[in-house]
């Protein structure tokens, strides 16, 4: 497949090919260009440049026609929960013979298909009752059955552990069997390394490297391609650990009656980073909601070093500075119509009188912006004008100014590229160094093991 375009000044003279049987991962930071190419290939964006040349199976294809040959696997595919596996595979595209035979026809056809690949799945099981692994296996089979030649996997495999991800990798090898090729787009290093055998690395709208996975020896080599030598050194300096000594033996937040495995009592210490590793999505969300007080009818009791939750006291979590972030990187965590500096000042407005704010606005702005790592961020930009990494930066810096006692984070790396991961890790360390108790709810130990004082696995 060849691609030559400069769409929206993001892609510049890109040309590459993928062979049948290859499993390739697209890697790159936000705005590296890989997102644009993936949107084109998956039919989510139309091409403006007429000079694009795309070939599949040796035949030239238009972007409009490409959808028939490209299949997209993403977590949103499984929203039709009441359908069973056979219906998901064949209900729309079933032959007239299968329609005559009714449901039994597509069930028998689905069983024969899975038997052909030596995969054991109950094809009469509803999608909502499948494991996360079974859902992806079903989707991979559907890609094969639709006649797709390219499968794009845009998924961080939330709810799947390392073993399940590697099992899916083996399924991919079996199903594509020199007939299809796979493109992996994931923020998870675990997913990328397990599913892909080659990397295509994007930077500033161009492909800077295509190589076998084994060629990338370590993270520093990858950063060289993603950031460049100068940027890599700068990032290392920015994200170096602060060597402030902490008093981490002081309990600042107690939670009682939270049922988590066999434990119901939890103590969180000043400056500590605790991560709960939970695969089940519903359980993960329940734990986050109860720890952060987003639900208060569960019988859970909350105690800080200075107060105890009273059900009539709705301001408890605000007063005690217990902060929770559910979608880090999403504009929902900020005031979208306000500027960067207005968002940064929001947690601190009670500290200034109106006239102090008016008279010292420029001085306050300069002080606040000095704390932001990326000095290129215009403090007057609206939140809607920022990219994901800037949103992450502003969100975390906003809460840093607030100086929370406890910060509870739900999958903080879910929307991060490699740069975003570094930003989040560095901020988390900065919060902890300032004495904030950090609680992270995550699927796997990827990205959190090196920064956590305690990992609690609930698989």
């Amino acid at each position: 497949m060849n691609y030559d375009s400069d769409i929206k000044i993001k892609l510049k003279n890109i040309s590459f090919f993928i062979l049948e049987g290859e499993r390739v991962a697209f890697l790159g930071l936000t705005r590296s260009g890989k997102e644009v190419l993936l949107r084109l290939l998956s039919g989510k964006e139309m091409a403006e440049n007429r000079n694009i040349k795309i070939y599949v199976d040796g035949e030239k294809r238009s972007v409009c026609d490409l959808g028939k040959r490209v299949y997209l696997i993403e977590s949103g595919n499984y929203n039709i929960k009441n359908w069973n596996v056979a219906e998901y595979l064949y209900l729309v595209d079933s032959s007239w013979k299968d329609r005559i035979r009714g449901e039994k026809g597509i069930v028998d056809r689905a069983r024969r298909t899975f038997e052909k690949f030596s995969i054991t799945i109950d094809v009469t099981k509803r999608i909502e009752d499948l494991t996360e692994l079974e859902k992806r296996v079903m989707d991979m089979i559907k890609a094969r059955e639709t006649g797709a030649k390219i499968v794009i996997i845009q998924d961080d495999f939330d709810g799947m552990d390392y073993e399940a991800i590697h099992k899916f990798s083996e399924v991919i090898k079996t199903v594509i069997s020199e007939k299809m090729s796979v493109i992996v787009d994931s923020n998870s290093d675990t997913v990328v390394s397990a599913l892909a055998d080659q990397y295509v690395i994007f930077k500033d709208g161009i492909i800077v490297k295509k190589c076998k996975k084994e060629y990338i020896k370590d993270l520093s080599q990858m950063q060289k391609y993603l950031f460049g030598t100068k940027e890599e050194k700068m990032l290392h300096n920015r994200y170096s650990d602060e060597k402030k000594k902490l008093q981490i033996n002081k309990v600042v937040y107690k939670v009682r009656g939270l049922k988590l495995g066999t434990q119901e009592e939890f103590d969180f210490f000043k400056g500590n980073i605790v991560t709960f590793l939970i695969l089940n999505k519903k359980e993960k969300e329940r734990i986050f909601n109860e720890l952060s007080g987003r639900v208060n009818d569960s019988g859970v009791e909350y105690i800080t070093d200075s107060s105890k939750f009273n059900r009539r006291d709705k301001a408890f979590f605000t007063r005690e500075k217990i902060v929770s972030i559910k979608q880090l990187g999403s504009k929902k965590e900020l005031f979208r119509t306000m500027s960067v500096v207005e968002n940064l000042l929001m947690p601190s407005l009670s500290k200034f009188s109106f006239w102090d704010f008016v008279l010292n606005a420029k001085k306050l702005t300069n002080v606040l912006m000095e704390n932001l790592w990326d000095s290129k961020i215009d403090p007057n930009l609206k939140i809607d004008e920022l990219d994901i990494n800037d949103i992450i930066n502003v969100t975390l810096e906003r809460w840093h100014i607030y100086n929370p006692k406890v910060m509870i984070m739900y999958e903080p790396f879910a929307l991060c590229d490699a740069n975003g991961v570094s930003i989040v890790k560095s901020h988390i360390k900065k919060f902890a160094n300032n004495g904030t108790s950090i609680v992270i709810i995550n699927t796997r130990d990827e990205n959190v093991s090196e920064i956590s004082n305690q990992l609690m696995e609930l698989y």
Side-chain angles (χ1 to χ4, degrees):
M1 176 169 62
N2 297 319
Y3 190 99
D4 186 5
S5 177
D6 189 11
I7 298 174
K8 296 183 180 179
I9 322 177
K10 290 183 181 179
L11 300 181
K12 304 169 186 176
N13 301 316
I14 286 183
S15 180
F16 71 100
F17 62 88
I18 302 174
L19 299 176
E20 289 180 332
E22 281 190 341
R23 298 172 295 128
V24 177
F26 280 8
L27 304 178
L29 303 180
T30 304
R31 292 184 178 176
S32 63
K34 73 180 179 77
E35 302 96 334
V36 180
L37 183 52
L38 285 165
R39 285 200 301 271
L40 283 169
L41 294 177
S42 59
K44 292 183 177 180
E45 182 169 319
M46 298 305 295
E48 296 175 0
N49 192 315
R50 301 300 179 186
N51 295 322
I52 297 173
K53 297 185 179 74
I54 299 175
Y55 296 86
V56 179
D57 267 359
E59 296 181 8
K60 188 175 179 180
R61 300 272 178 178
S62 68
V63 175
C64 296
D65 185 48
L66 199 59
K68 300 174 183 177
R69 290 299 203 175
V70 177
Y71 187 89
L72 177 62
I73 293 180
E74 56 183 348
S75 57
N77 287 5
Y78 319 119
N79 291 332
I80 312 176
K81 298 180 180 180
N82 290 326
W83 283 22
N84 63 33
V85 174
E87 289 169 336
Y88 183 83
L89 292 181
Y90 298 123
L91 193 59
V92 176
D93 301 317
S94 58
S95 66
W96 64 269
K97 289 182 180 179
D98 289 332
R99 292 193 188 106
I100 290 173
R101 295 175 62 198
E103 184 178 354
K104 187 177 186 304
I106 61 174
V107 167
D108 289 343
R109 184 180 173 191
R111 282 178 178 148
R112 290 194 301 271
T113 300
F114 280 102
E115 287 171 0
K116 180 170 65 175
F117 294 105
S118 301
I119 297 172
T120 304
I121 286 183
D122 181 357
V123 298
T124 64
K125 188 186 278 189
R126 294 191 305 175
I127 291 176
E128 66 178 346
D129 297 325
L130 298 175
T131 66
E132 296 301 318
L133 173 58
E134 288 173 331
K135 290 175 185 176
R136 273 70 177 190
V137 171
M138 172 188 67
D139 230 3
M140 197 68 211
I141 293 293
K142 183 169 182 177
R144 174 72 179 245
E145 291 298 284
T146 58
K149 299 298 294 183
I150 302 168
V151 180
I152 299 175
I153 301 176
Q154 289 187 312
D155 198 342
D156 289 336
F157 292 78
D158 191 14
M160 291 174 63
D161 60 15
Y162 298 101
E163 183 180 358
I165 293 170
H166 282 278
K167 283 182 179 178
F168 182 63
S169 178
E170 294 304 312
V171 169
I172 291 176
K173 294 176 188 177
T174 302
V175 173
I176 66 174
S177 64
E178 307 302 323
K179 297 289 185 182
M180 307 159 69
S181 55
V182 171
I183 298 174
V184 180
D185 175 38
S186 176
N187 292 318
S188 167
D189 291 336
T190 300
V191 172
V192 167
S193 61
L195 303 191
D197 50 25
Q198 294 199 54
Y199 294 157
V200 176
I201 304 173
F202 292 74
K203 184 177 183 291
D204 297 331
I206 64 173
I207 293 176
V208 296
K209 191 72 179 175
K210 180 181 179 183
C211 61
K212 290 187 178 297
K213 177 172 62 178
E214 294 76 17
Y215 181 86
I216 305 296
K217 303 296 183 184
D218 51 35
L219 180 60
S220 63
Q221 188 179 1
M222 177 66 77
Q223 287 179 334
K224 179 181 177 182
Y225 293 116
L226 293 175
F227 302 123
T229 308
K230 181 179 179 181
E231 287 85 351
E232 180 187 356
K233 183 176 180 181
M234 181 173 61
L235 283 168
H236 177 74
N237 292 334
R238 285 175 176 174
Y239 308 141
S240 59
D241 292 333
E242 298 178 26
K243 297 181 179 179
K244 183 179 177 181
K245 293 183 179 180
L246 301 174
Q247 294 178 344
I248 61 174
N249 58 343
K250 180 182 178 183
V251 177
V252 294
Y253 188 43
K254 299 179 182 180
V255 180
R256 300 290 182 262
L258 173 65
K259 296 180 180 178
L260 194 55
T262 58
Q263 195 169 341
E264 292 190 15
E265 297 187 358
F266 298 89
D267 291 344
F268 300 101
F269 295 83
K270 182 177 181 179
N272 255 18
I273 303 171
V274 177
T275 298
F276 293 93
L277 301 176
I278 306 172
L279 277 176
N280 185 282
K281 289 183 179 180
K282 290 182 179 179
E283 183 72 355
K284 186 166 56 177
E285 190 156 334
R286 178 185 73 84
I287 297 303
F288 172 77
N289 286 336
E290 293 190 5
L291 277 176
S292 59
R294 295 196 179 202
V295 293
N296 58 10
D297 58 351
S298 58
V300 177
E301 185 179 44
Y302 307 93
I303 305 165
T304 67
D305 51 353
S306 60
S307 184
K308 184 176 180 179
F309 176 69
N310 183 320
R311 294 193 179 281
R312 291 170 294 180
D313 182 7
K314 301 298 183 183
F316 171 81
F317 293 93
T318 302
R319 185 181 66 248
E320 293 301 313
K321 291 192 172 185
I322 300 171
V323 171
S324 58
I325 301 176
K326 189 170 185 180
Q327 298 182 54
L328 183 60
S330 166
K331 295 173 184 177
K332 294 179 181 178
E333 295 291 338
L334 296 169
F335 297 94
R336 297 177 59 174
T337 58
M338 291 186 178
S339 68
V340 169
V341 72
E342 287 170 337
N343 269 276
L344 291 174
L345 280 169
M346 281 303 290
S348 305
L349 285 180
S350 61
K351 300 176 185 177
F352 305 106
S353 70
F354 172 77
W355 290 110
D356 283 338
F357 176 70
V358 171
L359 294 172
N360 297 289
K362 184 171 178 57
K363 194 178 296 183
L364 289 170
T365 299
N366 292 336
V367 171
L368 291 173
M369 294 310 297
E370 283 178 5
N371 289 326
L372 284 174
W373 300 332
D374 192 345
S375 59
K376 295 178 183 177
I377 299 178
D378 183 347
N380 298 310
L381 281 178
K382 302 296 183 187
I383 296 304
D384 278 338
E385 300 176 81
L386 302 181
D387 65 20
I388 288 180
N389 286 336
D390 286 343
I391 289 171
I392 290 171
N393 214 341
V394 173
T395 301
L396 292 174
E397 193 59 48
R398 177 174 180 264
W399 288 121
H400 183 254
I401 294 168
Y402 184 66
N403 191 26
K405 183 180 293 182
V406 181
M407 174 169 281
I408 303 162
M409 310 176 77
Y410 183 92
E411 292 284 359
F413 302 99
L415 298 179
C416 293
D417 60 17
N419 192 13
V421 169
S422 297
I423 291 172
V424 175
K425 284 182 179 179
S426 185
H427 264 296
I428 287 175
K429 292 175 184 177
K430 184 164 70 169
F431 276 107
N433 286 340
N434 287 341
T436 299
S437 178
I438 307 290
V439 183
I440 300 172
I441 314 295
N442 222 55
T443 298
R444 296 180 290 272
D445 63 0
E446 181 181 13
N447 295 323
V448 295
S449 58
E450 64 179 272
I451 61 172
S452 299
N453 299 104
Q454 183 180 6
L455 290 172
M456 298 188 67
E457 298 186 29
L458 299 155
Y459 293 156

